[in-house]
Amino acid sequence: MLSLKFWIRLGLLTVVWGAAVPGRAPVDEERMHPHLPTSPRLRTISGEETQEFWHSASKKLIREKLEFVRNTKKAKNIILFLGDGMGLATLAAARSYIGGEELKLSFEEFPFTGLSKTYSVDKIVPDSACTSTSYLCGVKANYGTIGVNAHVKRGDCAAMANETNHVFSLGKWAMDAGKAAGLVTTTRVTHASPSGVYAHVADREWENNAVLEEACGELSDGLQDIAVQLIHGEVGSKLKVMLGGGKRSFYSPEHYDKGRRTDGRNLVEEFEALDAGNTFVKTQKKLLNVNATETGRLLGLFSKSHMHYHLEQLADPDNNEPTLEEMTQKAIEVLETEEQGYFLFVEGGKIDISHHETMARIALDETAELSKAVKKAREMTNPEETLIVVTSDHSHTFSVSGYQPRGSDIFGAAKANGKDGKPYLALSYANGKSFQDYYNTETHERVDPTSLPTIGDFDQLFPAMVPLESETHGGEDVGVFASGPWAHLFTGVYEQNTIPHMMAFAACVGDGLTACD
Ligand SMILES: *[C@@H]1O[C@H](CO)[C@@H](O)[C@H](O)[C@H]1NC(C)=O
Ligand SMILES: *[C@@H]1O[C@H](CO)[C@@H](O)[C@H](O)[C@H]1NC(C)=O
Ligand SMILES: [Zn+2]
């Protein structure tokens, strides 16, 4: 017997087929691509009206590509920039934010780009923990785990204790080859992305002993939390630069910085006691004053939890946190003193956090901050010997809707109305906590978004279709942008875990394939 599903499918097929047959009523073009009331472009780029403009810009690009000489030298230095949650829609909207659709973020000027497939071993849409294992350790793993293979399920204390399950990062491969390594982040230094450089845990939340012991009980004997692994671990204890937020996992509650450790340890003092050259800083001023040639290892913790959003730092006259660009600059200054070169990981971690909150304006600003940090790194290093790769761990449910006139405020209304007669915003999310702000649960109608009192605020929430406490990640591919030795390897569509192998190839580190074989 044919099922109901079959008949419904057949029915749909007939409708689609019918629409394509000449002489039948055409698909409603007007509905799909409406003639909006003419609203002039707000900004005109001189020449865009002519063919000549587009032809000559295209010629210029082709000539640049023809003149480009592939660099097949061994990379002395390798830098990986990670825009956490920085999907392609975020990049497109960020161009409007920094001044216009025709502009590019610094790393969009890089000569080679590719697409990275981000799924994990157990989930179609991954998180920042398993993706960190992927783009740093070269192995896909399970959601929520860091620096361990997929034999370890999230929260499996016994499997975490089994060292045969541990996988190591490009940071270790570089250090084993005599290079230095460092990390920079705007989140806690023990948060998911930076932890991939040095930690092995079955759960990203085990940042200090209190959470680890609560989860593993008796099994926690012999296991180390992420902060301990940063200061004393096989990889963490050798890192030359560690900059970011997250003091709370280094201290106990009695300490004046009020930590969350319950074992009475002060990991910052332990770090300082390890070696006379070890330097700890906790303010922007102290960081900027660090003399790179006189510093051994550098630990900077600038906030209790994640560092503040750049827009919050700007608004706070007492701000004493450095920017991502400043941290990147100091990290390179310190690492440059190493004769054999270095690996540096830099994370713009608050793109993701603001997207989870549906705070699109902040997400685009944090993306612009990452762009500045990359620009600084490219200026400070020689593209002949330093490979820079910029990518993201995963996307978000963030979307850029039509059809605003060119030059419009990207945060504004789309200059069209919904079927309910109300305007809608160009930027929105498929889910998130802002649902209730934009939906009147009594009248079951959408709220006119332009009537909200928060419109224009830097922390304004953008609309979401499904009510969720925290907006989710998105599953489409993310971009990879490369410049320097072997950058041409990064073209095409590939699995995310290939990235560190290609960087290792370029730098001749690790025990996989290398350019020096
Ligand atoms: C450790 O894990 C591996 C699989 O990754 C397994 O073969 C081995 O038996 C485990 N060892 C212990 C002591 O559980
Ligand atoms: C850093 O220290 C070196 C060595 O002591 C010194 O020569 C240099 O002038 C210092 N740089 C700055 C900017 O103070
Ligand atoms: Zn996230």
Side-chain angles (χ1 to χ4, degrees):
M1 232 185 71
L2 293 169
S3 70
L4 182 64
K5 258 197 190 147
F6 171 85
W7 290 112
I8 290 173
R9 244 187 246 148
L10 186 70
L12 280 174
L13 214 64
T14 314
V15 170
V16 172
W17 180 76
V21 174
R24 299 267 183 105
V27 181
D28 189 355
E29 265 299 320
E30 180 55 30
R31 199 157 42 81
M32 289 199 289
H33 309 111
H35 289 81
L36 300 170
T38 34
S39 42
R41 278 194 281 165
L42 300 175
R43 188 165 31 82
T44 322
I45 307 297
S46 166
E48 277 191 5
E49 307 82 356
T50 66
Q51 306 94 300
E52 179 50 27
F53 175 89
W54 301 105
H55 289 180
S56 69
S58 306
K59 268 188 205 154
K60 184 165 168 279
L61 185 82
I62 293 169
R63 288 207 178 97
E64 274 168 26
K65 289 203 179 289
L66 291 174
E67 280 163 19
F68 190 87
V69 182
R70 288 183 170 195
N71 179 347
T72 53
K73 294 192 186 81
K74 175 180 163 183
K76 180 184 178 195
N77 312 309
I78 43 178
I79 306 179
L80 179 58
F81 279 91
L82 195 278
D84 198 316
M86 185 177 72
L88 294 175
T90 299
L91 297 182
R95 295 178 204 138
S96 302
Y97 176 71
I98 62 170
E101 301 70 46
E102 62 287 351
L103 302 179
K104 283 182 178 181
L105 298 160
S106 64
F107 47 87
E108 292 179 327
E109 304 281 1
F110 284 4
F112 296 99
T113 59
L115 291 173
S116 149
K117 296 164 67 186
T118 65
Y119 68 89
S120 71
V121 171
D122 61 341
K123 303 254 189 209
I124 295 174
V125 178
D127 79 324
S128 295
C130 59
T131 50
S132 170
T133 310
S134 173
Y135 62 73
L136 282 164
C137 305
V139 170
K140 290 210 181 194
N142 291 322
Y143 187 86
T145 66
I146 300 167
V148 291
N149 65 27
H151 283 126
V152 182
K153 296 265 185 303
R154 186 174 191 174
D156 186 338
C157 308
M160 165 180 164
N162 182 343
E163 288 187 10
T164 61
N165 291 331
H166 293 190
V167 293
F168 291 89
S169 76
L170 181 54
K172 178 170 193 295
W173 309 348
M175 291 196 292
D176 286 348
K179 297 183 188 297
L183 63 86
V184 168
T185 178
T186 49
T187 65
R188 299 190 291 273
V189 292
T190 51
H191 205 235
S193 309
S195 297
V197 175
Y198 62 86
H200 313 280
V201 282
D203 195 316
R204 55 182 289 167
E205 287 176 24
W206 299 346
E207 293 178 63
N208 57 62
N209 77 297
V211 266
L212 174 70
E213 284 163 21
E214 195 187 325
C216 297
E218 285 174 9
L219 281 174
S220 60
D221 207 28
L223 297 184
Q224 291 184 329
D225 60 77
I226 298 174
V228 166
Q229 293 191 43
L230 178 60
I231 300 304
H232 298 286
E234 180 182 356
V235 178
S237 64
K238 297 196 193 95
L239 294 175
K240 178 127 175 130
V241 182
M242 298 150 277
L243 302 176
K247 278 188 282 194
R248 71 186 193 194
S249 284
F250 293 77
Y251 300 120
S252 33
E254 298 78 41
H255 186 270
Y256 63 86
D257 264 322
K258 294 224 189 310
R260 292 191 172 184
R261 303 198 67 82
T262 53
D263 53 7
R265 292 174 75 169
N266 178 331
L267 293 177
V268 171
E269 275 178 7
E270 290 180 22
F271 168 75
E272 289 175 312
L274 285 172
D275 190 286
N278 285 3
T279 306
F280 173 67
V281 293
K282 55 179 187 175
T283 65
Q284 177 189 41
K285 210 171 150 199
K286 284 267 161 54
L287 176 74
L288 298 181
N289 285 333
V290 163
N291 183 331
T293 56
E294 287 183 333
T295 303
R297 297 174 59 220
L298 176 63
L299 172 66
L301 299 175
F302 305 102
S303 54
K304 202 182 247 191
S305 180
H306 302 313
M307 290 171 66
H308 287 87
Y309 293 122
H310 168 248
L311 288 174
E312 290 176 318
Q313 293 177 348
L314 277 184
D316 177 5
D318 298 323
N319 171 58
N320 212 345
E321 294 179 5
T323 63
L324 184 60
E325 184 185 16
E326 288 167 341
M327 291 193 288
T328 303
Q329 175 169 0
K330 188 57 73 178
I332 293 175
E333 284 173 13
V334 171
L335 290 167
E336 261 175 2
T337 63
E338 296 282 332
E339 265 168 32
Q340 297 206 55
Y342 58 83
F343 163 68
L344 173 62
F345 174 70
V346 181
E347 184 199 20
K350 301 210 63 176
I351 302 167
D352 178 68
I353 290 168
S354 44
H355 270 325
H356 280 304
E357 301 278 305
T358 70
M359 293 175 176
R361 195 182 308 262
I362 296 181
L364 301 190
D365 184 71
E366 293 291 321
T367 303
E369 286 302 294
L370 179 75
S371 174
K372 288 182 204 167
V374 175
K375 182 162 184 270
K376 175 63 75 180
R378 193 65 290 176
E379 284 166 3
M380 290 178 74
T381 54
N382 179 355
E384 285 299 304
E385 62 170 28
T386 302
L387 169 67
I388 300 184
V389 177
V390 182
T391 189
S392 180
D393 46 359
H394 53 73
S395 186
H396 271 269
T397 72
F398 179 62
S399 141
V400 186
S401 306
Y403 297 99
Q404 284 185 311
R406 284 283 298 287
S408 298
D409 173 9
I410 191 70
F411 304 111
K415 298 282 188 294
N417 289 340
K419 281 181 80 177
D420 53 9
K422 291 174 187 155
Y424 58 91
L425 300 186
L427 303 184
S428 64
Y429 294 86
N431 56 49
K433 71 174 184 182
S434 55
F435 175 83
Q436 62 257 32
D437 295 15
Y438 288 90
Y439 188 75
N440 187 327
T441 45
E442 274 163 29
T443 62
H444 299 290
E445 283 184 353
R446 221 156 52 84
V447 170
D448 176 349
T450 60
S451 73
L452 286 177
T454 54
I455 200 144
D457 290 355
F458 82 94
D459 56 355
Q460 177 193 345
L461 306 187
F462 283 75
M465 296 302 298
V466 175
L468 276 191
E469 192 45 43
S470 177
E471 183 267 349
T472 69
H473 297 162
E476 80 274 17
D477 298 352
V478 293
V480 185
F481 305 83
S483 156
W486 295 97
H488 50 281
L489 294 183
F490 291 82
T491 59
V493 182
Y494 40 84
E495 299 296 347
Q496 181 171 56
N497 70 291
T498 322
I499 293 172
H501 296 292
M502 294 196 284
M503 294 183 75
F505 178 91
C508 299
V509 303
D511 49 20
L513 295 178
T514 76
C516 303
D517 286 344

